[in-house]
Amino acid sequence: MKTNNTLILVLFVLLSQYTLGQTLYRKKCSGKVVVNSIPVSSANVSNQSSKQVTTTDANGFFELEVREGDVLHFSAVNVMAKELIVTNTIFSEGFIAVAMQYVNIQLEEVVIPKTSKITTESIGVIPFGQKRYTQAERHLQTAGDWKPIMLLGLIGGSMPLDPLINKINGRTKRLKKLVVLEGKLAMIEKLDEYFVQDFYTKKLNIPVDYIEGFKFYIIENNTFVDYLKSNNITMAKFLIIELAVSYNEIIKSEQP
């Protein structure tokens, strides 16, 4: 019985020394800092308990002396700071894996009013008076618009072939249609800036299912388009009321 008590006492002392050793003594551990599996270089790693500081290398690795219960602080540019407590498992394994997250920077919304004079010309992006081409117009310019007068180029041996080829295969015609369609869509977008759905349904009595068709109907009117392009919304509103009367008559005539 005395032998068993002695054995238990020895095991208790050894265990206490082991536990005390882990609590009082630090050992060098390695670790790696990543964000979305990408190594974070030059991240600051500090042991808040021992005040020891280090940084990660180009591959995100670092080494630091720690003991169980130490608080480690991790920080880097554009990354959310993080703290980690050294657990028994971390201390035993001798490796610290740290996954961090990028800082979400929310920019304040800048709203430019419709009456603002800020344009790409006023801030110097493009020269004043320079024509701004749409995507379809740029494609048409690249394809070239063939004219019979281009045949005169044969005399000097410098007639461009692309416009003629595109004329023959119909590409120029398709691009011209695309330019027209793009212009109409631009006008519809401008319409949506000034007229909301309630205006069509309550003021003009246009059924909801017919609103999109009505938009295409009114932009076929050159006078209305001119008012819209010049931002003369007062005259555009007078004319749109007249056009709505005609359009509602068309809807009635098409109904059985």
Side-chain angles (χ1 to χ4, degrees), residues 3 17 39 54 59 75 77 87-88 112 128-129 131 142 153 162 168 172 189 207 219 230 254 256:
T3 304
Q17 287 181 339
T54 187
N59 296 313
S75 61
V77 178
T87 62
N88 179 268
I112 300 177
F128 279 95
K131 178 174 173 57
T142 303
D162 283 349
I168 294 172
T172 302
E189 287 183 4
I219 62 174
S230 61
E254 292 180 347

Side-chain angles (χ1 to χ4, degrees), residues 56-127:
T56 57
D57 62 17
N59 296 313
F61 288 103
F62 68 91
E63 287 186 340
L64 197 66
E65 289 188 352
V66 301
R67 70 184 178 194
E68 187 177 342
D70 280 355
V71 178
L72 306 184
H73 182 84
F74 301 86
S75 61
V77 178
N78 294 329
V79 174
M80 295 177 64
K82 185 173 185 177
E83 288 192 347
L84 181 148
I85 298 176
V86 179
T87 62
N88 179 268
T89 302
I90 292 175
F91 187 81
S92 300
E93 293 178 352
F95 187 82
I96 307 169
V98 184
M100 303 182 73
Q101 295 180 335
Y102 287 119
V103 175
N104 291 324
I105 301 175
Q106 300 225 351
L107 300 178
E108 293 185 5
E109 182 181 6
V110 177
V111 179
I112 300 177
K114 295 174 185 176
T115 56
S116 173
K117 301 299 182 181
I118 299 177
T119 65
T120 52
E121 292 177 337
S122 66
I123 62 177
V125 175
I126 62 173

Side-chain angles (χ1 to χ4, degrees), residues 90-194:
I90 292 175
F91 187 81
S92 300
E93 293 178 352
F95 187 82
I96 307 169
V98 184
M100 303 182 73
Q101 295 180 335
Y102 287 119
V103 175
N104 291 324
I105 301 175
Q106 300 225 351
L107 300 178
E108 293 185 5
E109 182 181 6
V110 177
V111 179
I112 300 177
K114 295 174 185 176
T115 56
S116 173
K117 301 299 182 181
I118 299 177
T119 65
T120 52
E121 292 177 337
S122 66
I123 62 177
V125 175
I126 62 173
F128 279 95
Q130 178 176 309
K131 178 174 173 57
R132 285 171 283 187
Y133 293 96
T134 65
Q135 184 177 9
E137 287 173 331
R138 289 195 296 271
H139 284 312
L140 181 58
Q141 274 202 323
T142 303
D145 190 6
W146 188 83
K147 305 291 183 183
I149 196 172
M150 290 182 178
L151 290 172
L152 296 176
L154 288 173
I155 300 175
S158 60
M159 187 187 83
L161 294 177
D162 283 349
L164 180 58
I165 294 172
N166 290 322
K167 177 75 172 180
I168 294 172
N169 62 25
R171 182 167 183 257
T172 302
K173 186 176 182 180
R174 291 194 300 273
L175 287 173
K176 284 183 176 180
K177 289 182 178 179
L178 188 59
V179 169
V180 173
L181 177 61
E182 196 172 63
K184 291 181 179 180
L185 292 176
M187 286 296 101
I188 288 178
E189 287 183 4
K190 199 170 182 65
L191 267 176
D192 294 338
E193 292 178 11
Y194 296 105

